[in-house]
Amino acid sequence: MEDEVDRLVAAWRRERPDLDVEPLEVLSRVSRLARHLDRARRLAFSEHNLEPWEFDVLTALRRAGTPYQLSPGQLLTQTLVTSGTMTNRIDRLAKKGLVERLPDPSDRRGVLVRLTDEGRDRADRSLAGLLAQERAILAELSRAQRGELAALLRQLTAPFDNIPG
Amino acid sequence: MEDEVDRLVAAWRRERPDLDVEPLEVLSRVSRLARHLDRARRLAFSEHNLEPWEFDVLTALRRAGTPYQLSPGQLLTQTLVTSGTMTNRIDRLAKKGLVERLPDPSDRRGVLVRLTDEGRDRADRSLAGLLAQERAILAELSRAQRGELAALLRQLTAPFDNIPG
DNA sequence: GTTGACTGTCTTGACGTCGAGAGAGTGTGG
DNA sequence: CCACACTCTCTCGACGTCAAGACAGTCAAC
């Protein structure tokens, strides 16, 4: 089955036969698929009255385990946003009663963001919804193919995640 | 090599052993990698004084071939943005002299967006830069692996690209 | 020809993100 | 113990995106 990137690559080969556009076969697909996923997630979360960015923060805290708290800095590296954005997100989530800010007892510059009980419930319920949706998207592939795909992607993400950049 | 998604999945297995989080192995990596790619592209384009969104529009027109023109609607499907966003992008590119708006001779509702000579040069020059950067990122994989990865991703993107959604 | 559904583009207002930098606090080397 | 470089969070203004809807134009059925 052909996709939009096949058409894109064919067009470049016609217009710029002097260039090797093979990299686009992988990375343009990654970018476009991510964009489609964003849209699908937005739709799935709207049933739970959650925005994708809210999900990202709440689940990062949920994953941390009891007592469900992380510093803003730790949340940054997990969600790949800037510090200004995270301050804003925490403000809005706190106003909705899903998280609360506590002073970090061991560093007076620092802050700890803690999930409230309601925040924890919202995180748990929306995760199940997300997984159902993602399973449907991945039904195109066999279990073995999904494993291969995950392994190949890991090779590309690992350098970004480990060499801090 | 471990990546952030490995840590994320391990955390869920500890916190929610009742759930099957296998889908995250693939789709969280796609989302995170796309985010890293965005940042890298922004950096690469800044050498050419171009924003990623400008690149997306200019190259879509460049790929169309002589006379380098497409309707706003065609640009929408290629760039996955909404119509309001595209209107705004075209306005800004027109103000910079990289594209111009022409009335569509065959449909008076319609508009054609055409690349100017300078727009074309910018598209061509920045594409080469992007490809170089992407080649570096993909050097982690063998040629055969890149082919496999592209094929697996195509299976996931094709439904989105073909069933209009 | 008119009607009515549809299409293509643009307008508007709200929202979220970013980049740059400020301010408070830490901790190490001299 | 003091300076200085560094870390952490927050502030601010500019910007780009989105969703919803307005509006003009098209086209097929009658």
Side-chain angles (χ1 to χ4, degrees):
Chain A
M1 173 88 98
E2 198 179 42
D3 70 357
E4 194 68 29
V5 173
D6 283 321
R7 295 186 266 274
L8 177 157
V9 166
W12 278 129
R13 297 216 161 111
R14 176 167 37 75
E15 291 296 318
R16 297 294 309 273
D18 56 311
L19 288 179
D20 172 14
V21 295
E22 189 239 4
L24 302 179
E25 295 267 11
V26 171
L27 297 185
S28 292
R29 286 197 171 90
V30 169
S31 293
R32 286 185 66 91
L33 181 54
R35 207 126 174 71
H36 287 303
L37 290 176
D38 269 354
R39 292 182 167 189
R41 292 206 315 162
R42 184 176 308 277
L43 212 64
F45 289 142
S46 66
E47 298 172 18
H48 299 267
N49 275 314
L50 262 194
E51 299 295 323
W53 65 262
E54 295 179 295
F55 176 86
D56 287 342
V57 177
L58 295 180
T59 51
L61 293 166
R62 176 65 184 82
R63 278 197 303 276
T66 327
Y68 307 118
Q69 60 189 21
L70 291 172
S71 70
Q74 291 174 305
L75 287 169
L76 290 192
T77 69
Q78 295 207 27
T79 55
L80 297 178
V81 297
T82 61
S83 65
T85 297
M86 188 51 68
T87 298
N88 188 16
R89 287 183 175 187
I90 296 167
D91 285 347
R92 284 173 281 156
L93 288 171
K95 198 164 297 179
K96 292 177 77 169
L98 302 179
V99 307
E100 55 190 343
R101 271 197 183 83
L102 307 171
D104 181 338
S106 66
D107 183 339
R108 254 185 299 179
R109 291 166 305 182
V111 163
L112 290 175
V113 182
R114 169 142 61 182
L115 216 46
T116 64
D117 288 348
E118 191 195 338
R120 185 190 148 154
D121 286 352
R122 298 284 287 278
D124 277 339
R125 269 182 279 127
S126 51
L127 174 62
L130 179 71
L131 287 173
Q133 190 196 43
E134 297 201 339
R135 249 187 285 282
I137 292 169
L138 291 169
E140 298 288 328
L141 302 179
S142 70
R143 183 167 192 80
Q145 286 179 314
R146 293 196 296 270
E148 259 182 70
L149 182 47
L152 289 167
L153 288 170
R154 180 189 291 106
Q155 289 194 58
L156 294 181
T157 53
F160 286 106
D161 283 344
N162 292 307
I163 302 168
Chain B
M1 175 87 99
E2 199 179 41
D3 70 356
E4 195 68 30
V5 174
D6 283 322
R7 295 186 265 274
L8 177 157
V9 166
W12 279 128
R13 297 216 161 111
R14 176 167 37 74
E15 291 296 317
R16 297 294 307 275
D18 56 314
L19 290 179
D20 173 15
V21 295
E22 190 239 5
L24 302 179
E25 295 267 11
V26 170
L27 297 185
S28 291
R29 285 198 172 89
V30 170
S31 293
R32 287 185 65 91
L33 181 53
R35 207 129 174 69
H36 286 304
L37 289 176
D38 269 355
R39 292 182 166 188
R41 290 205 316 160
R42 185 176 308 278
L43 212 64
F45 289 141
S46 67
E47 297 172 20
H48 299 266
N49 275 315
L50 263 194
E51 298 295 322
W53 65 263
E54 296 179 295
F55 176 86
D56 288 342
V57 177
L58 296 180
T59 51
L61 293 167
R62 176 64 184 84
R63 277 197 304 276
T66 326
Y68 308 118
Q69 61 189 22
L70 291 172
S71 70
Q74 291 174 306
L75 288 169
L76 290 191
T77 70
Q78 294 206 29
T79 55
L80 296 179
V81 298
T82 61
S83 65
T85 298
M86 188 50 69
T87 297
N88 187 17
R89 287 183 175 186
I90 295 167
D91 285 347
R92 283 173 281 153
L93 287 172
K95 198 165 296 178
K96 292 176 79 170
L98 302 179
V99 306
E100 56 191 343
R101 269 197 184 84
L102 307 171
D104 181 338
S106 65
D107 183 338
R108 253 185 300 176
R109 292 166 304 181
V111 163
L112 291 175
V113 181
R114 168 140 62 182
L115 216 46
T116 63
D117 288 349
E118 191 194 339
R120 185 190 149 153
D121 286 351
R122 298 285 284 278
D124 277 340
R125 268 182 277 125
S126 50
L127 175 63
L130 179 72
L131 287 172
Q133 190 197 41
E134 297 202 338
R135 250 187 282 283
I137 292 169
L138 291 168
E140 297 289 327
L141 302 179
S142 71
R143 182 167 193 81
Q145 286 180 313
R146 293 197 296 270
E148 261 182 71
L149 182 47
L152 289 167
L153 289 170
R154 181 189 290 107
Q155 289 195 57
L156 295 181
T157 53
F160 287 106
D161 282 344
N162 293 308
I163 303 168

